[in-house]
Amino acid sequence: MNRRPLGIVVATAALVGPLPAMASGFLTARFGGEHGHPTTENATAMYYNPAGLAFAGSTQLYVDGTLAWVKASFDRDPASVYPLIGQDGSSAGTPADRLDTNSGESTLFNIAAAPFLGLVSNFGVENLGVGLGFYAPFGGASVWDKQSGFDGDPVFHGAADGSQRWWSIEGSLRSLYVTAAGAYYIPAARLSFGLGVNFIMSEVHTIRARNVSGHDEVAERYADDKLRLFEGRSRVDVSGKHFSLGGGLLWKPTDDISVGASYQSQPGFGKMKLEGDLELSYYGQKSNTQAVRLEQELPDVIRLGGKWRIDPTWEVRLFGEFARWSVFERQCLLTKSAADDACALDSKGDPKPGIDSSVIVQNLERDWEDAVAVRAGASYFLNPALELYAGLGYDGNAVPDETIDPALPDFNDVSAALGARAQFLDDTLAVAGTYTQIFYLSREIDPRPRVNGVPQTGLKSPTSLQPDAAGTYERSIGVLNLNVEYTF
């Protein structure tokens, strides 16, 4: 169960994502920079608001690339560690004098890139726009730094993967969209409407530490009073294909004002099923691989925005989105042949009456919350061919304290962006660049209550148990977006 070198992770991301999450949850849509919004009229309207395609012009080729760096840390609270208690042959946990093997700060610094490719044409029909696009609006990836001082340790060498290893050693989650969309503008109503069909290819890859108990025991004390390594590893690789729809309206009450509203449905219109392999390697046991199915739901997204060209030199924009992350209740890993309703669980992670729990391999309770984001921007036109712009934004947090972990954290954040766009060759070629810095508010999570020194989760089923992820979470991200737009 080898970790992939960072260079390979970055090279893969450059082809199909995933970027680090840059909005609520793990929404990553920053393509288009400050011109990616529900009143845009370039090819990115395929995702933000298909109605904007009606104004794209004759034929437009749009090539966009986003490069992001992410720096993050997780400082695990020693009080959250599952303790080594008792002296009998069954005791396992973390010795009180070796809390450094299961707590403290873990860090990462990753770089990722992703494209947006779009082609739009009116096929010679006035007020029509038809487009085809390729992009990744959902995603997240991480490769955590190795910890020095533990390699070669006969008992605690697992600690080299960091205190966050029970949730993520490395991982990626992405949904790649191929979209066909069309729009039409009705001059009499000053209104355009658009519809897009998305073919979605999703995958999840993760390597993490895992024990049968669901706790974070690092060592076991045998009757001879000696300690032996206890922790194991798990690897999940699953993928699936789904469809979704997007639609929107764009109203121009005057030539200088635009108001847009759009809706992107849930991928798969609800429950997504991704199939693949789970490899488990518990200490002292032979590695085992089995066919599994991951079930989850991702949100639908509503966007609303407006822009106003005040005069030939100034334009202002305001837009926001609502992401229904409350549908992301859990990520449930089942045997591949399990029935469709096999992951019907109650609030304690236990199967509801009549459900066969033996087919549940592992259940990750998420219980995320709906989140909103708001952005405002302004452009100053030095001349008709040269635009300077800036933007400010806020993204809400979707992850409650009870289920946050280092694999999928989220934060309240504010962002600031600066950029420019220039037109050449009689306005047939446009080049734009935007840099956005995202400032995250750190999160302090308190340890769970304890009984006899053991953290309590409130969950009964062993398949739903997770170690206590209490500690301090911090993150910062910088995003560079570059795009070229050619009209012919």
Side-chain angles (χ1 to χ4, degrees), residues 212 280-288:
V212 176
L280 290 171
S281 179
Y282 295 129
Y283 181 72
Q285 301 179 22
K286 185 178 179 180
S287 176
N288 176 59

Side-chain angles (χ1 to χ4, degrees), residues 27 47 138 262-265 299-303 321-323:
L27 282 167
Y47 179 69
F138 289 97
S262 69
Y263 174 78
Q264 284 285 342
S265 75
D300 43 2
V301 182
I302 298 172
R303 291 182 171 88
E321 68 179 31
F322 172 82

Side-chain angles (χ1 to χ4, degrees), residues 133-394:
F134 170 89
Y135 54 95
F138 289 97
S142 61
V143 179
W144 289 84
D145 299 333
K146 280 279 193 177
Q147 302 293 307
S148 60
F150 297 106
D151 285 334
D153 190 305
V155 178
F156 300 107
H157 55 267
D161 286 326
S163 63
Q164 86 304 324
R165 63 191 181 276
W166 303 100
W167 303 274
S168 176
I169 297 172
E170 70 164 61
S172 64
L173 180 156
R174 64 169 66 87
S175 289
L176 176 67
Y177 280 43
V178 177
T179 297
Y184 189 77
Y185 175 63
I186 304 173
R190 304 187 70 92
L191 179 72
S192 66
F193 59 92
L195 179 67
V197 179
N198 308 310
F199 173 65
I200 307 168
M201 295 166 282
S202 300
E203 65 179 44
V204 175
H205 161 80
T206 181
I207 296 176
R208 59 187 296 190
R210 180 71 180 172
N211 291 332
V212 176
S213 67
H215 296 299
D216 56 320
E217 306 100 329
V218 300
E220 185 173 20
R221 191 189 304 277
Y222 279 73
D224 59 8
D225 204 35
K226 292 182 178 180
L227 294 175
R228 294 174 175 82
L229 177 70
F230 188 77
E231 62 182 87
R233 294 290 183 269
S234 72
R235 175 188 59 80
V236 174
D237 279 297
V238 293
S239 61
K241 297 178 176 65
H242 306 88
F243 286 93
S244 72
L245 294 174
L249 300 172
L250 186 56
W251 179 47
K252 291 178 172 287
T254 73
D255 292 340
D256 301 321
I257 296 175
S258 298
V259 179
S262 69
Y263 174 78
Q264 284 285 342
S265 75
Q266 290 182 260
F269 305 104
K271 184 189 296 183
M272 302 171 68
K273 298 179 182 180
L274 290 77
E275 296 183 348
D277 296 324
L278 165 68
E279 180 184 359
L280 290 171
S281 179
Y282 295 129
Y283 181 72
Q285 301 179 22
K286 185 178 179 180
S287 176
N288 176 59
T289 300
Q290 65 180 114
V292 293
R293 182 176 81 237
L294 175 69
E295 294 185 358
Q296 64 180 18
E297 287 194 41
L298 299 185
D300 43 2
V301 182
I302 298 172
R303 291 182 171 88
L304 179 66
K307 65 180 179 182
W308 177 26
R309 188 67 177 262
I310 300 172
D311 57 37
T313 59
W314 284 101
E315 179 182 274
V316 293
R317 297 174 293 275
L318 179 65
F319 48 96
E321 68 179 31
F322 172 82
R324 198 164 59 99
W325 279 109
S326 58
V327 300
F328 193 54
E329 295 180 345
R330 61 180 54 90
Q331 291 177 295
C332 192
L333 200 63
L334 308 151
T335 59
K336 185 177 180 180
S337 59
D340 284 345
D341 61 350
C343 207
L345 306 178
D346 62 22
S347 60
K348 294 187 179 296
D350 290 322
K352 294 181 179 179
I355 299 299
D356 179 11
S357 63
S358 66
V359 299
I360 301 176
V361 179
Q362 187 178 351
N363 172 52
L364 302 178
E365 286 292 308
R366 296 300 183 189
D367 298 323
W368 284 18
E369 299 166 348
D370 298 335
V372 297
V374 179
R375 289 165 63 189
S379 294
Y380 179 74
F381 294 84
L382 295 173
N383 56 60
L386 183 58
E387 172 189 3
L388 305 179
Y389 50 78
L392 295 173
Y394 164 80

Side-chain angles (χ1 to χ4, degrees), residues 409-432:
D410 197 17
F411 306 78
N412 292 311
D413 70 72
V414 293
S415 62
L418 289 172
R421 182 176 184 270
Q423 294 178 282
F424 307 94
L425 304 178
D426 296 325
D427 298 339
T428 60
L429 177 67
V431 179

